[in-house]
Structures are given as structure tokens and as C-alpha cells.
């Protein structure tokens, strides 16, 4: 959902924050690699800050040992972290 809003250039900060809060509450467990990649891409594209979400996504990617992450997912995720100015130390 947030991907579509970001792609269309629609500003919906409250929606983005609700999605971030829900994803963090779930600890992004069960999210597929493409879901994680698309989500952080959407937040970065929309310019919505969600540091805890980025931290959780980085942790989940590490836990999954990047298994299942296509080159496109990886490049989108790295771009999103760079665009958002988020540094993942792990």
C-alpha cells in the first residue's frame, strides 16, 4: 500500500506512520524479502522518517542472511537506506 502512495507521489504521512508502527510491532517477521525492500523504498521515496522500521528491516535481512533477496530487492533496499540517510552498522 505505501509503495503505491509513494509511487504516485501522494503524501500520506499518517498512513506511513501507521504502517511503520504496525511493521515494527510485528518485528517485520514473516515479511518476504520483496515486501521489506518495497516498504523501505516507499518510505525513502516519500521522505518519511522511520528509523525503527529501517533498523528492524536491516535486522531481518541479516537474520535471513539475505536469502531470497533478488539483486533488484538488494539494490532497492540499499538505495532506500542511502536515500534516507540511514546507516546499518551490522
Amino acid at each position: 500500500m505505501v509503495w503505491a502512495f509513494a509511487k504516485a507521489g501522494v503524501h500520506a504521512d499518517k498512513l506511513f506512520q501507521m504502517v511503520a508502527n504496525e511493521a515494527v510491532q510485528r518485528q517485520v517477521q514473516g515479511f518476504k524479502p520483496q515486501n521489506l525492500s518495497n516498504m523501505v523504498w516507499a518510505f525513502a521515496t516519500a521522505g518519511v522518517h522511520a528509523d525503527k522500521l529501517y533498523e528492524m528491516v536491516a535486522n531481518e535481512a541479516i537474520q535471513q542472511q539475505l536469502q531470497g533477496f533478488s539483486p533488484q530487492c538488494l539494490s532497492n533496499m540499499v538505495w532506500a537506506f542511502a536515500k534516507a540517510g540511514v546507516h546499518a552498522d551490522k
Side-chain angles (χ1 to χ4, degrees), residues 17-29:
Q17 290 307 319
M18 289 175 66
V19 169
N21 291 342
E22 184 64 25
V24 167
Q25 183 179 358
R26 293 182 187 191
Q27 298 182 344
V28 297
Q29 291 178 349

Side-chain angles (χ1 to χ4, degrees), residues 1 8 10 25 29 32-33 35 39 44 54-55 66 68 72 75-77 80 88 90:
M1 179 186 321
V10 176
Q25 183 179 358
Q29 291 178 349
K32 295 178 182 177
N35 301 138
M39 188 164 41
Y54 281 96
E55 179 183 340
L66 301 178
Q72 185 68 51
S75 63
N76 287 351
M77 201 160 64
K90 295 182 179 184

Side-chain angles (χ1 to χ4, degrees), residues 36-88:
L36 296 172
S37 174
N38 287 349
M39 188 164 41
V40 292
W41 178 91
F43 275 78
T45 299
V48 177
H49 297 283
D51 292 339
K52 188 68 175 168
L53 174 65
Y54 281 96
E55 179 183 340
M56 295 292 243
V57 168
N59 289 340
E60 184 66 15
I62 291 167
Q63 185 175 334
Q64 292 182 21
Q65 298 181 349
L66 301 178
Q67 291 181 11
F69 285 83
S70 70
Q72 185 68 51
C73 286
L74 288 173
S75 63
N76 287 351
M77 201 160 64
V78 169
W79 176 88
F81 274 73
K83 173 79 172 164
V86 175
H87 300 278

